[in-house]
Amino acid sequence: MLPSESRMRRGDQFADAIRRGRRAGRPMLVAHFSVRETDEPPVVGFVVSKAVGGAVIRNQVKRRLRHLMRDRVVRLPRGSLLVVRANPPAASARSENLAAELDVALDRLLRRRGSEPRTLTDGRS
């Protein structure tokens, strides 16, 4: 499972990641990513709505996502807030497909974070 110090529990952390962070959408999930100016370990939260399924299905999806994030949390910089929101197709997805979607979303978010804003070099603004 995901280490205890890496689990998001506070509502303000969820709100910061969703409102202020970058978003990468995939058919099975949407990831919201934000970095705070702290040296705290990264924290990850999960949102699985009733649209995904009943309570049993929602809990299964959350457990699968937590398991997948266990090995991926080390990729996140310190101070990171990551919220993974499951879409209805996540309920019937194979673990390999869910992992691939999560990897694509994380790659997009981390690549965007590492890129600096581009400026024109020919003097135009």
Side-chain angles (χ1 to χ4, degrees), residues 39-57:
D39 195 35
E40 297 174 8
V43 290
V44 182
F46 303 95
V47 176
V48 184
S49 74
K50 288 184 181 181
V52 174
V56 172
I57 300 299

Side-chain angles (χ1 to χ4, degrees), residues 3-104:
S4 179
E5 65 272 3
S6 295
R7 294 181 68 180
M8 190 179 292
R9 292 186 173 87
R10 296 189 354 237
D12 62 325
Q13 292 175 328
F14 278 91
D16 280 349
I18 291 171
R19 290 187 188 133
R20 296 187 183 144
R22 296 180 181 260
R23 184 182 74 208
R26 304 293 305 154
M28 290 182 219
L29 55 89
V30 177
H32 301 269
F33 178 72
S34 173
V35 179
R36 300 168 293 171
E37 297 297 325
T38 67
D39 195 35
E40 297 174 8
V43 290
V44 182
F46 303 95
V47 176
V48 184
S49 74
K50 288 184 181 181
V52 174
V56 172
I57 300 299
R58 291 195 312 269
N59 285 323
Q60 285 175 345
V61 170
K62 274 190 270 190
R63 279 193 303 271
R64 290 169 61 201
L65 288 170
R66 273 197 306 265
H67 177 76
L68 292 171
M69 277 307 302
R70 178 184 63 186
D71 296 330
R72 291 162 175 83
V73 74
V74 295
R75 294 177 53 194
L76 302 176
R78 295 194 63 81
S80 296
L81 298 174
L82 177 70
V83 173
V84 179
R85 183 169 42 98
N87 290 333
S92 59
R94 296 177 51 96
S95 289
E96 304 86 41
N97 297 342
L98 196 57
E101 294 271 310
L102 185 58
D103 286 336
V104 169

